[in-house]
């Protein structure tokens, strides 16, 4: 069956089929990580809808909204190759009324870690995800573990607002050298890319430890060795469900998360670690 491109709400309503529907929300510039999300969705549902929408609400005033890569024709080819049924690609005008007043508030969890670095980001992200949920009406939605705090916040939103949607977290996809796939990787020069590999090396060093202080210490030592070529934003060890930083006596699963700027490009990465075991 040919891929359907829905440019507005009416097109989307016509395209929605019967049976379980899986949604893969994206901002386009699709790479192998997105391919893995679509494949995961394809294995779980009768119909797969991929949204492609660069959401202005989740970009700050000095962030890269205008230069965020837009590769729509190539994205359509990816969606078709991976077996998606529908691509929902609305305009900003179709998603947001000019007199829009109501948005979601992400709460305390949206103000910490990545939220502290990007004020308002999670408010905008949750608002557009909820709108996509309402428009597509999926039975399940697939998100990548690479954006671990985003995944945790979407699960919190689904629980808090009683949404009948299964949230699937898919593993981070990496290059053979360990760099986590990201649409922003294309901004890296060859030299910057070599520096960016420090992020995954730091996470691996931390994951090899057991106690919380040693996990952070081992990761930070790797990052510090790369300064000043790498400008560290944060390195934290957090509870996977709340993203609150864990204490020295914590035991259980945790997320070791890092954000840094390499050249002009800000990158994030994380790994789930076992603390105290």
């Amino acid at each position: 069956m040919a891929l359907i491109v829905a440019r507005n709400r009416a097109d989307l309503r016509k395209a929605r089929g019967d049976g379980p529907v899986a949604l893969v929300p994206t901002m386009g510039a699709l790479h192998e990580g997105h391919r893995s999300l679509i494949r995961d969705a394809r294995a779980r549902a009768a119909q797969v809808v991929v949204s492609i929408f660069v959401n202005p609400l989740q970009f700050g005033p000095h962030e890269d909204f205008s230069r965020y890569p837009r590769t729509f024709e190539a994205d359509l080819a990816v969606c078709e190759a991976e077996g998606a049924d529908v691509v929902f690609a609305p305009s900003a005008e179709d998603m947001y009324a000019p007199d829009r007043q109501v948005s979601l508030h992400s709460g305390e969890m949206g103000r910490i870690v990545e939220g502290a670095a990007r004020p308002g980001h999670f408010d905008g992200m949750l608002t557009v995800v909820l709108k996509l949920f309402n428009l597509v009406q999926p039975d399940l939605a697939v998100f990548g573990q690479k954006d671990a705090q985003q995944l945790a916040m979407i699960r919190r939103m689904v629980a808090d607002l009683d949404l009948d949607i299964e949230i699937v977290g898919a593993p981070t996809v990496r290059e053979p050298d360990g760099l986590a796939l990201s649409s922003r990787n294309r901004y890296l020069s060859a030299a910057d890319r070599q520096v960016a590999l420090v992020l995954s090396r730091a996470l691996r060093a931390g994951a090899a430890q057991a106690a919380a202080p040693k996990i952070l210490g081992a990761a930070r030592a790797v990052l510090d060795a790369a300064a000043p070529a790498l400008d560290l934003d944060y390195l934290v060890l957090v509870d996977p469900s709340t993203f609150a930083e864990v204490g020295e006596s914590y035991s259980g699963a945790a997320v070791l998360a890092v954000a840094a700027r390499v050249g002009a490009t800000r990158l994030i990465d994380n790994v789930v670690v076992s603390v105290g075991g």
Side-chain angles (χ1 to χ4, degrees):
M1 187 174 177
L3 179 70
I4 298 172
V5 179
R7 292 285 191 171
N8 52 51
R9 300 161 189 242
D11 289 347
L12 181 64
R13 283 193 295 270
K14 293 176 186 176
R16 196 188 189 285
D18 297 325
V21 174
L23 170 65
V24 181
T26 82
M27 292 206 299
L30 304 184
H31 49 64
E32 185 59 37
H34 297 107
R35 285 179 180 268
S36 72
L37 302 183
I38 299 170
R39 288 194 291 267
D40 195 327
R42 177 77 283 161
R44 296 170 183 268
Q47 185 179 53
V48 175
V49 178
V50 178
S51 64
I52 297 177
F53 178 65
V54 184
N55 177 34
L57 295 192
Q58 64 194 70
F59 288 80
H62 303 296
E63 294 185 336
D64 60 349
F65 175 74
S66 61
R67 64 189 286 258
Y68 191 87
R70 291 160 171 85
T71 57
F72 188 66
E73 293 304 321
D75 294 343
L76 290 183
V78 168
C79 292
E80 188 165 31
E82 297 301 338
D85 300 290
V86 180
V87 168
F88 179 44
S91 66
E93 292 74 21
D94 201 55
M95 287 294 287
Y96 298 118
D99 58 347
R100 177 186 62 85
Q101 297 185 41
V102 178
S103 297
L104 284 189
H105 185 265
S106 55
E108 177 58 28
M109 191 174 168
R111 292 192 291 268
I112 59 177
V113 191
E114 188 70 4
R118 303 180 67 188
H121 167 72
F122 287 118
D123 293 354
M125 180 276 293
L126 291 177
T127 297
V128 78
V129 169
L130 181 59
K131 286 176 72 68
L132 289 169
F133 285 174
N134 287 334
L135 290 166
V136 177
Q137 294 289 299
D139 298 276
L140 62 99
V142 184
F143 296 87
Q145 173 65 32
K146 177 182 169 290
D147 295 294
Q149 190 170 0
Q150 170 180 277
L151 178 60
M153 295 217 62
I154 290 167
R155 285 181 167 145
R156 181 77 263 173
M157 176 182 73
V158 166
D160 287 352
L161 300 184
D162 299 310
L163 304 178
D164 188 18
I165 301 172
E166 178 187 359
I167 302 302
V168 177
T172 300
V173 177
R174 299 181 180 276
E175 298 279 7
D177 57 13
L179 183 67
L181 288 178
S182 168
S183 300
R184 291 183 170 91
N185 288 353
R186 67 188 67 200
Y187 298 150
L188 297 169
S189 67
D192 286 343
R193 198 181 185 288
Q194 289 304 306
V195 174
L197 296 178
V198 172
L199 297 181
S200 59
R201 286 205 295 269
L203 295 179
R204 289 197 300 272
Q209 304 298 318
K214 291 186 176 181
I215 291 171
L216 286 167
R220 185 170 291 278
V222 175
L223 295 168
D224 287 346
L230 182 144
D231 183 13
L232 182 65
D233 192 340
Y234 60 75
L235 172 71
V236 292
L237 187 65
V238 297
D239 183 297
S241 60
T242 66
F243 260 66
E245 294 191 51
V246 304
E248 293 187 7
S249 61
Y250 180 86
S251 179
V255 173
L256 180 62
V258 63
R261 191 169 294 277
V262 180
T265 305
R266 186 174 183 273
L267 301 173
I268 63 172
D269 200 353
N270 71 86
V271 66
V272 178
V273 300
S274 179
V275 182

